[in-house]
Amino acid sequence: MNSSFWTVVGFTTKNKVRGKAFLITTLIIAIIMSIVINLPYMIDKFSGEGKPTAVGYLDSTSEKVKSELFTSTRIAAMLNNYYGKQEKPELKLVPIADAGSAEANEKALKQAVADDVIHGYIEFSPGKESDFPAITYKSESLMESKVSSSLSAALQVVKMEAVIGGGGLSDDVKALLTKPIELDSVQISTVEGAGSIGSGKTKAQQGMDFGTVYVIIIMLFMAIMISGQMIASEITAEKSSRVMEILITSVSPLKAMFGKIFGMFLVVLLQMAIYVVVIVINMTLPQNADKLGDLGISLSDIDPVLLTYSLVFFLTGYFLFATLFAAVGSIVSRTEDLGQAVLPITMLSLAGFYICIFGGMNNPGSMLMKICSFIPFFAPYAMVSRLGLSDPPLWQVWISIAALLASILVFGWLSAKIYRAGVLMYGKKPSLKELGKAMRAYK
């Protein structure tokens, strides 16, 4: 490949990287990403959510609950003991003194909420002699799912401890009953010749594979959307300014088109690298690194085989869509018409993305995902999902790669002919008949 190709690549890359739009957009997105990553930490610091939520209860001298095993005072004490054992307790039980009557007690509890002494309060309703009391949580906020879920889980543990403690069991039996069950999951392969992508992976490794697939899919979608629009708009702008007439006299259409595509790829690659660096820097900050450590996430668990295949599908998927965007951009004469012209290609990429996110991430072995793995427009998304979340046979993986490469060659050749014919058509929109005639004239 001679110097003319690299001249186009260098010109395209420098022109975009030096532009104010690229610098401002990259900076704004990097700042937004940093804010989003650190948003939970900032919320904890400024809203006080890092502290346990105060939940009140009536510290009644005359218990309404008849069962001695399940008195409200005892349940509250056991709840405080349950949350006290947590490193970062979610809730804290606060006693509110008995005011002497039901109405006065209700008023005192509501006043405690109004004074921000407590966030909400729980009420105990008497049941049968041996039944666990019905408990109601009341607060001013709607959809208190966080507090309700925490209380529900804690009350289930408290109930079990109370029943076990009142049954006269020995400490060893109690420890055996309350000891959590250890369940591990390991991915296996039942297909002969499937390879080692999904074989024998632990739960932590599977979680890292899920994260890798998720990141690759989002990055591919972003790369296609960002670079596709830039490629099409760049070609349309050059065509409308008639610069293209000069360009194609010194550079062949194939070299000009792929030089522009490769140049835009370098621009997007630089932009993606900046975003990755921003993410890594923010994730290594102490407040975020501790959370990753608690979740057992380690970069050493990334599967190099999965990463290699993911990069292959990333590159093939990018260049397939880039050739289509270039062809469409060469047909359009006005930038005002560009959005409508590239809409079908955008919808194809969007369809593959949605199929993968809403279908493939939950059920990567479904028939839909298997079929999409061999459709070139959807294969980069579908096969990456299957590789990371299941274990497809290697022959299916390589057929998918071969189909993508063949599609790039076919659409690249077709796009080059459209590019050569389209860039010389000005004024009205070219009809399919006119475009076909121009393409046949170009050998």
Side-chain angles (χ1 to χ4, degrees):
M1 195 169 292
N2 56 31
S3 60
S4 60
F5 171 82
W6 294 110
T7 301
V8 176
V9 172
F11 174 78
T12 303
T13 305
K14 292 177 182 178
N15 188 40
K16 278 297 178 183
V17 171
R18 291 176 180 176
K20 291 183 179 179
F22 173 82
L23 298 175
I24 294 173
T25 303
T26 304
L27 180 61
I28 291 175
I29 294 178
I31 293 173
I32 292 174
M33 292 175 68
S34 299
I35 293 173
V36 170
I37 293 173
N38 293 282
L39 191 60
Y41 175 75
M42 291 187 287
I43 291 175
D44 288 345
K45 283 296 181 183
F46 292 104
S47 66
E49 288 195 9
K51 301 177 182 179
T53 302
V55 176
Y57 71 96
L58 186 63
D59 189 12
S60 178
T61 54
S62 57
E63 293 283 355
K64 291 182 179 180
V65 183
K66 296 180 181 180
S67 173
E68 295 183 359
L69 186 62
F70 299 128
T71 64
S72 59
T73 304
R74 185 182 181 193
I75 293 174
M78 295 180 72
L79 283 172
N80 269 328
N81 182 57
Y82 170 82
Y83 286 113
K85 293 179 181 178
Q86 296 178 354
E87 184 178 352
K88 294 181 179 180
E90 299 173 339
L91 305 179
K92 177 181 68 174
L93 275 293
V94 177
I96 304 298
D98 192 345
S101 66
E103 293 182 1
N105 288 335
E106 185 75 13
K107 185 177 180 181
L109 289 167
K110 288 183 178 179
Q111 187 61 43
V113 174
D115 295 338
D116 287 333
V117 176
I118 56 177
H119 185 75
Y121 57 92
I122 53 178
E123 288 184 347
F124 299 86
S125 301
K128 295 181 181 179
E129 192 74 21
S130 58
D131 283 352
F132 196 79
I135 300 174
T136 305
Y137 174 70
K138 297 183 178 181
S139 72
E140 290 184 307
S141 304
L142 292 174
M143 302 297 290
E144 284 279 11
S145 57
K146 181 180 178 181
V147 177
S148 299
S149 300
S150 179
L151 274 174
S152 179
L155 287 167
Q156 187 65 36
V157 174
V158 165
K159 177 183 176 181
M160 184 177 66
E161 289 180 354
V163 172
I164 292 174
L169 301 177
S170 65
D171 293 339
D172 292 339
V173 175
K174 291 179 184 178
L176 183 61
L177 288 172
T178 57
K179 183 179 180 181
I181 296 174
E182 296 181 3
L183 176 63
D184 194 12
S185 59
V186 176
Q187 188 178 9
I188 62 171
S189 174
T190 58
V191 181
E192 186 176 354
S196 59
I197 292 177
S199 178
K201 290 189 176 180
T202 63
K203 189 175 181 179
Q205 291 172 328
Q206 293 174 44
M208 182 55 68
D209 285 354
F210 184 90
T212 303
V213 169
Y214 198 81
V215 170
I216 290 292
I217 288 172
I218 291 178
M219 289 184 66
L220 174 60
F221 181 71
M222 289 178 61
I224 291 173
M225 291 297 100
I226 295 173
S227 66
Q229 291 288 340
M230 287 196 300
I231 291 170
S233 62
E234 184 82 4
I235 293 175
T236 303
E238 290 179 354
K239 179 181 175 182
S240 61
S241 64
R242 308 185 83 90
V243 173
M244 193 60 65
E245 295 181 7
I246 302 173
L247 180 62
I248 61 174
T249 58
S250 55
V251 183
S252 67
L254 191 64
K255 291 179 182 178
M257 186 187 72
F258 276 100
K260 195 166 293 293
I261 289 173
F262 192 76
M264 288 297 181
F265 172 71
L266 295 179
V267 173
V268 173
L269 198 63
L270 175 61
Q271 203 167 32
M272 291 293 176
I274 293 173
Y275 296 154
V276 170
V277 170
V278 170
I279 293 173
V280 171
I281 291 174
N282 281 278
M283 295 307 290
T284 52
L285 294 177
Q287 66 271 15
N288 296 321
D290 293 341
K291 291 183 179 180
L292 292 178
D294 295 339
L295 295 173
I297 297 177
S298 175
L299 295 179
S300 61
D301 290 330
I302 295 179
D303 188 345
V305 178
L306 171 62
L307 189 60
T308 302
Y309 277 117
S310 297
L311 292 177
V312 170
F313 281 101
F314 177 89
L315 294 174
T316 52
Y318 169 84
F319 283 106
L320 173 61
F321 279 94
T323 56
L324 298 178
F325 276 107
V328 172
S330 64
I331 297 174
V332 179
S333 299
R334 301 187 307 168
T335 54
E336 293 85 353
D337 302 327
L338 185 60
Q340 184 178 1
V342 300
L343 184 60
I345 305 175
T346 303
M347 294 303 296
L348 274 175
S349 178
L350 191 62
F353 178 76
Y354 273 109
I355 288 172
C356 178
I357 291 295
F358 295 107
M361 302 298 278
N362 297 323
N363 189 12
S366 65
M367 183 57 66
L368 175 63
M369 294 299 294
K370 291 180 180 178
I371 294 174
C372 289
S373 299
F374 304 106
I375 301 176
F377 302 112
F378 304 146
Y381 298 107
M383 191 54 83
V384 169
S385 298
R386 293 184 63 197
L387 285 167
L389 307 178
S390 63
D391 195 24
L394 281 179
W395 65 268
Q396 293 185 9
V397 178
W398 285 105
I399 286 180
S400 181
I401 294 174
L404 274 167
L405 293 175
S407 300
I408 292 173
L409 292 175
V410 171
F411 284 109
W413 171 80
L414 184 62
S415 296
K417 299 195 74 173
I418 295 174
Y419 181 86
R420 173 61 185 256
V423 294
L424 297 178
M425 292 182 176
Y426 294 91
K428 66 176 183 178
K429 298 179 182 179
S431 64
L432 292 177
K433 183 178 180 180
E434 292 173 341
L435 186 61
K437 183 178 180 180
M439 290 170 60
R440 286 193 298 272
Y442 168 61
K443 302 297 182 181

